[in-house]
Amino acid sequence: MKKSPTLVDVAKLANTSKATAARVFSRSKSANVRLETKARILEAADKLGYSPNLSAASLRSKKTYLIALCIHDITNPSSPSLIRGIQDELAQHGYDLVVFNSDWDPNKEKKNLLAVVRNQLDGLILQDPSDELDVLELPDIPSVILTSNEVFSAVRSTVSTDTVGGVKKALTYLHSMGHDRIGILLGGSVSQITNRKRAYLDFYEGAGLKVEERLIVDVPFKTRASDTFIMAKELIVDLMRSPRRPSAIFASNDMLGLAALQMAQIEGLEVPGDLSVVGMDDLFSAESASPALTSVSKHRFEVGTQAAKNLLNQIHSDSSAVKEVVNELVECTLVIRDSSGPITKHGA
């Protein structure tokens, strides 16, 4: 029977020490090995067919090297960028990601958190906690919350995007293009709708413009993004067919913005000649739409990366030290594309 390759065999073939080879296969120490040396060791392991016993390593270190990400909807178009940002950063430090989906259900959210504790995961990244979740129900493990909710940011580290500032950037841009009758499509969680509507009303007040309630459209929340898209199209048609339709629409997410583009085409409206449309999220589908959708980027990949870095700092810090609460705010950026422009006589 052929003898299984050992770590000593790998080190010998890679022309390095056993200790260095061991660090490469140690999740917590692999980052301390030079890239060229690491590549040589991994190549040797692959050639020999060597596979480290990660379960044994986890038992010795009392770590699972698994991080939980609890999100609302993995099918939401903005989720992949967030997940990729987290996963890429964790992978550099030997950690894997486990994703829990709550479907916006507070009961599922709580069950997911219990599963995190039950499986002894090393850390938690939690997206926008529901109103029903109490701070005291959070697991007592290193964690980062993706929220601007002050109740959570007072006791746990957070990473959030300045969506209020992003909304105002979009509205300021549209107003500078001559638009003063701007419709807004609101969708998402209660907190998201509240924040974006407040930003819209504050902008109108600051600009000295009259608020028309019929230009504010609340798109009913649906658990699945695809269902929300269908519902949104019906409401957008009503807005476009109104006697004094808006010359521009700001959608609180790109999915609603893309729905507005689609319905404008069906209604025979030219974009941006008859109607300017701006979304929020800056998804790949926004850039590839026709016309390409102007959008407010929330930098989801960067948010994920920053959340993972913050979490890893907590995990690797002295366990006896007092944990510092760090609240980080990522600014939004307006990405101007073909779906928006100056108001025209036809669009006025």
Side-chain angles (χ1 to χ4, degrees):
M1 183 177 178
K2 187 178 179 181
K3 182 183 176 183
S4 298
T6 66
L7 188 62
V8 173
D9 298 326
V10 173
K12 185 176 180 180
L13 182 60
N15 193 28
T16 188
S17 68
K18 179 183 176 182
T20 300
R23 283 203 300 275
V24 168
F25 296 109
S26 168
R27 293 174 182 261
S28 60
K29 298 178 181 178
S30 63
N32 299 326
V33 180
R34 292 176 59 188
L35 290 177
E36 312 91 83
T37 305
K38 186 176 181 179
R40 202 167 65 244
I41 292 170
L42 292 175
E43 184 180 356
D46 185 58
K47 187 175 292 185
L48 293 171
Y50 172 77
S51 180
N53 188 336
L54 297 180
S55 296
S58 292
L59 286 173
R60 287 194 298 271
S61 65
K62 296 182 179 180
K63 288 185 176 182
T64 61
Y65 293 96
L66 295 173
I67 300 299
L69 169 63
C70 295
I71 60 176
H72 301 303
D73 181 10
I74 198 171
T75 67
N76 188 296
S78 67
S79 294
S81 293
L82 174 69
I83 295 172
R84 185 62 185 267
I86 295 170
Q87 191 168 31
D88 284 4
E89 184 63 29
L90 293 178
Q92 294 182 47
H93 299 270
Y95 286 82
D96 293 319
L97 185 66
V98 180
V99 180
F100 294 84
N101 192 76
S102 73
D103 286 326
W104 298 90
D105 183 340
N107 292 323
K108 279 188 179 181
E109 179 183 54
K110 292 179 182 181
K111 287 181 180 179
N112 290 342
L113 294 178
L114 289 174
V116 171
V117 175
R118 185 172 61 250
N119 290 285
Q120 299 181 319
L121 273 64
D122 295 336
L124 165 70
I125 298 175
L126 174 64
Q127 180 188 33
D128 196 18
S130 64
D131 293 336
E132 289 82 355
L133 185 68
D134 191 282
V135 172
L136 298 177
E137 294 179 280
L138 292 174
D140 187 21
I141 60 175
S143 56
V144 175
I145 317 297
L146 305 181
T147 184
S148 57
N149 188 318
E150 294 180 356
V151 173
F152 289 91
S153 62
V155 295
R156 295 294 177 102
S157 291
T158 62
V159 179
S160 60
T161 49
D162 182 17
T163 52
V164 170
V167 171
K168 290 182 178 179
K169 283 182 180 180
L171 296 175
T172 299
Y173 159 70
L174 288 171
H175 189 235
S176 73
M177 293 286 103
H179 301 281
D180 56 14
R181 300 189 67 256
I182 305 169
I184 183 169
L185 304 176
L186 295 167
S189 66
V190 173
S191 62
Q192 289 172 340
I193 290 174
T194 301
N195 289 340
R196 288 158 175 73
K197 185 174 182 178
R198 183 71 263 164
Y200 177 85
L201 295 175
D202 286 347
F203 172 79
Y204 257 70
E205 182 181 349
L209 300 174
K210 180 182 177 181
V211 174
E212 297 180 53
E213 288 296 330
R214 64 188 186 83
L215 295 182
I216 302 174
V217 179
D218 288 324
V219 179
F221 173 77
K222 299 292 181 182
T223 301
R224 300 190 185 281
S226 56
D227 294 334
T228 303
F229 185 80
I230 294 171
M231 176 68 72
K233 290 195 291 186
E234 297 176 7
L235 295 171
I236 292 168
V237 167
D238 291 339
L239 183 63
M240 290 179 176
R241 291 178 180 176
S242 59
R244 293 188 67 236
R245 62 173 174 77
S247 63
I249 289 178
F250 171 70
S252 62
N253 59 59
D254 277 352
M255 183 178 62
L256 297 180
L258 293 169
L261 285 183
Q262 187 178 110
M263 298 319 295
Q265 185 177 33
I266 291 173
E267 290 296 301
L269 298 176
E270 291 184 8
V271 177
D274 297 321
L275 179 73
S276 284
V277 181
V278 176
M280 189 170 203
D281 282 330
D282 194 30
L283 304 176
F284 173 75
S285 51
E287 185 177 1
S288 59
S290 181
L293 179 65
T294 294
S295 184
V296 177
S297 173
K298 295 194 293 183
H299 303 292
R300 300 293 282 169
F301 183 90
E302 289 77 5
V303 168
T305 299
Q306 202 55 47
K309 285 181 177 179
N310 187 313
L311 186 64
L312 290 168
N313 285 338
Q314 293 181 48
I315 292 172
H316 295 150
S317 65
D318 184 353
S319 58
S320 63
V322 177
K323 294 293 187 294
E324 180 185 4
V325 173
V326 178
N327 303 129
E328 299 174 83
L329 185 67
V330 178
E331 287 193 16
C332 295
T333 304
L334 179 64
V335 183
I336 300 173
R337 299 194 178 97
D338 298 336
S339 69
S340 60
I343 191 169
T344 63
K345 288 183 179 180
H346 193 41

